[in-house]
Amino acid sequence: MMNGRPGREPLTFLPDEARSLPPPKLTDPRLAYIGFLGYCSGLMDNAIRRRPVLSADKKTYGEILEEFHPVR
């Protein structure tokens, strides 16, 4: 079996010291900040691609599925 080069360490994403730390609290303001940045990046992507959110036509599931399975 191939194990790679001798003396090679496996790829670790976090050092051992970081693995023993507790996860961040849900009330951490950094989590809200990252969520807000994700929301803003989604709005910017829609604006760049000219896909307005508020003026988009609302479709029901029946209207969406009718394109694939015609009822009439």
Side-chain angles (χ1 to χ4, degrees):
M1 189 189 298
M2 296 176 56
N3 291 334
R5 294 182 300 222
R8 181 175 169 222
E9 288 186 34
L11 181 65
T12 57
F13 293 106
L14 294 174
D16 292 333
E17 297 86 21
R19 293 179 191 201
S20 63
L21 293 173
K25 295 180 181 177
L26 289 177
T27 57
D28 192 3
R30 291 177 288 186
L31 294 176
Y33 178 70
I34 295 296
F36 180 71
L37 285 180
Y39 177 75
C40 290
S41 67
L43 289 179
M44 284 178 44
D45 182 56
N46 285 342
I48 290 171
R49 296 173 189 264
R50 297 176 183 245
R51 295 184 293 187
V53 176
L54 296 177
S55 65
D57 293 334
K58 306 283 184 196
K59 284 191 169 184
T60 62
Y61 282 113
E63 292 172 342
I64 294 171
L65 293 176
E66 190 174 13
E67 297 174 4
F68 302 106
H69 304 286
V71 178
R72 300 175 202 163

